[in-house]
Amino acid sequence: PSTVADTGQNGIIAGRNAYPTVILDEFQDTSPIQLALFLKLARFAKKVYWVGDIKQAIYGFRGSDTELMQAILQALPGMGGTKEVLPS
């Protein structure tokens, strides 16, 4: 079993599979900094879910970029992931 340890000033060290699930909701409104953080957290999860709808993007004024979502969708097969589109 993996553990998560608080190292004080140095941050948190987590082992693989330390988290059962990591979810990023409203992915269409993710900024590059948020994506970088999520990708780092995702390394420590058993399952990762990305949820978003590009047509609902509203936070471009604060740095979100729908191209990030497109890039991840294209990269999913190489990351061992799959894409599922839910019915409208």
Side-chain angles (χ1 to χ4, degrees), residues 71-82:
I72 291 296
L73 287 172
Q74 290 177 356
L76 272 177
M79 298 164 61
T82 61

Side-chain angles (χ1 to χ4, degrees), residues 6-71:
D6 184 351
T7 62
Q9 291 181 337
N10 296 325
I12 294 176
I13 297 174
R16 284 218 184 276
N17 299 321
Y19 306 107
T21 306
V22 174
I23 300 171
L24 175 60
D25 194 14
E26 301 297 340
F27 183 34
Q28 73 276 359
D29 289 318
T30 299
S31 71
I33 291 171
Q34 291 168 319
L35 179 59
L37 176 62
F38 186 74
L39 288 171
K40 287 183 184 286
L41 286 172
R43 294 187 315 201
F44 304 113
K46 290 180 183 179
K47 293 184 180 181
V48 178
Y49 295 95
W50 313 66
V51 181
D53 181 347
I54 290 175
K55 294 178 283 186
Q56 294 185 19
I58 60 172
Y59 287 105
F61 68 90
R62 68 164 176 75
S64 71
D65 185 354
T66 58
E67 293 296 318
L68 297 173
M69 187 172 175
Q70 294 288 20

